[in-house]
Amino acid sequence: MRQLLPGLLFAALWASASVATKFGVQSVHPLILATVRFFIAGGGMLMFAYGIQRVQNAWPKGIEWRQLTIFALLNTTIYLGAFVLALKQVSAGIGSLSTATNPLFIALLSALWLRKMPTLYQISGLLLGLVGVGVATYPLLQNSYATVEGLLILLGGMVSVSAATVYYASIKWRLPDLVINGWQVLLGGILILPFTLLTADFSNAHYDERFWLSVFWLIVPVSVGALQLWFYLVRQDAIRASLWLFLCPIFGFAYSYFLMGEPITSYTIVGTGLVIGGLWLGRRQ
């Protein structure tokens, strides 16, 4: 029960990020959306932690700055930067389905981190999961709901966030979760800012109601709510926490179908089943 309600709520909120991002990138360049989100979310969480909660002895010191910067680079700059760029080229449902492959990458990277050979189950599960994503995206590639470039960007982001999870679990953090979350999101915004200034198209940006609603949802329920729940779950058990990502495709395809009008086909169902089968296989001892 300590993980049931937080896990369900995490999966529902985390899966909603794909649809919220799809709405936001209709108004502005993806990196503009990401940068605005990072600065507002990170700054807001730190203001709350230091100004309202007045947490004591919670300023990063020495090596903690390096740890936060590495975590921010992997978890925010690369992963979420790649995610918003990919969502310009792939469907929201595929964005959520890709999230479910994280446990496979986490298990594989954990084995490599500990300098152990990945098990046959882990390798087989990862391959089966990737095949499942391929099956689910096949008709979407034909109908312009996804591109190969978008899928490759999404894959790079998945590897990065999985590495971030392994790295986070390997550190004995002194700082409270809210402070860690605030700093890593803000630092992620600082790191991505040069790329946004150099590559984003500001002339066609529309800071309309759709943009600000997308930013609000990505900040409050996702960046604050879902990540706080994720940190709580990882602190309880990193491997069990990753299993809640099983539910993300189910929530994600439901959101994309009802809110974006994106199709759910037999390929979607079979591909999702293969991903879940790969997750089950990868978790076997």
Side-chain angles (χ1 to χ4, degrees):
M1 288 299 296
R2 293 179 63 185
Q3 286 206 351
L4 180 60
L5 292 179
L8 287 172
L9 186 57
F10 161 76
L13 292 177
W14 198 244
S16 71
S18 296
V19 171
T21 300
K22 288 290 285 188
F23 279 116
V25 297
Q26 293 176 31
S27 298
V28 298
H29 187 277
L31 291 183
I32 296 177
L33 176 66
T35 304
V36 172
R37 170 190 176 184
F38 298 161
F39 275 96
I40 295 177
M45 282 186 280
L46 291 176
M47 288 177 61
F48 180 81
Y50 293 129
I52 298 178
Q53 285 193 337
R54 297 185 180 278
V55 291
Q56 301 295 319
N57 299 318
W59 282 93
K61 300 175 182 178
I63 195 175
E64 290 175 335
W65 284 111
R66 186 180 69 183
Q67 293 169 341
L68 286 168
T69 301
I70 293 172
F71 185 45
L73 178 66
L74 294 171
N75 196 67
T76 298
T77 305
I78 297 177
Y79 165 52
L80 292 178
F83 190 77
V84 294
L85 287 172
L87 261 291
K88 189 75 174 178
Q89 303 183 51
V90 303
S91 72
I94 293 301
S96 297
L97 180 60
S98 68
T99 303
T101 63
N102 279 8
L104 302 174
F105 287 110
I106 290 171
L108 186 62
L109 291 174
S110 294
L112 295 175
W113 186 278
L114 298 173
R115 299 185 179 182
K116 296 191 302 183
M117 282 295 295
T119 67
L120 180 61
Y121 287 127
Q122 290 172 338
I123 296 174
S124 301
L126 179 60
L127 293 176
L128 187 60
L130 292 176
V131 169
V133 173
V135 170
T137 57
Y138 174 72
L140 301 178
L141 289 169
Q142 294 182 317
N143 297 322
S144 299
Y145 280 98
T147 67
V148 174
E149 180 185 2
L151 292 173
L152 290 175
I153 294 172
L154 200 58
L155 176 62
M158 292 305 104
V159 174
S160 182
V161 72
S162 300
T165 301
V166 175
Y167 180 76
Y168 177 85
S170 71
I171 302 295
K172 292 185 178 180
W173 296 95
R174 176 187 62 87
L175 302 171
D177 286 347
L178 184 61
V179 173
I180 295 172
N181 198 7
W183 278 115
Q184 69 95 10
V185 173
L186 182 61
L187 289 171
I190 294 172
L191 292 171
I192 205 173
L193 182 59
F195 298 96
T196 303
L197 296 175
L198 290 173
T199 63
D201 181 5
F202 289 88
S203 61
N204 292 318
H206 301 286
Y207 304 101
D208 50 18
E209 182 181 8
R210 179 174 57 193
F211 166 76
W212 288 111
L213 285 174
S214 173
V215 170
F216 170 80
W217 189 265
L218 289 169
I219 288 174
V220 180
V222 179
S223 285
V224 178
L227 276 179
Q228 287 298 113
L229 288 168
W230 177 246
F231 290 156
Y232 169 79
L233 293 169
V234 169
R235 283 183 185 269
Q236 298 297 315
D237 188 319
I239 300 299
R240 286 189 178 183
S242 68
L243 298 180
W244 289 107
L245 296 169
F246 274 92
L247 297 180
C248 286
I250 299 172
F251 283 111
F253 278 116
Y255 295 151
S256 62
Y257 177 78
F258 288 108
L259 299 177
M260 304 294 298
E262 295 175 356
I264 295 179
T265 66
S266 58
Y267 286 93
T268 305
I269 297 170
V270 172
T272 302
L274 289 173
V275 170
I276 294 175
L279 289 168
W280 174 80
L281 189 62
R283 306 297 339 128
R284 291 192 65 185
Q285 298 298 320

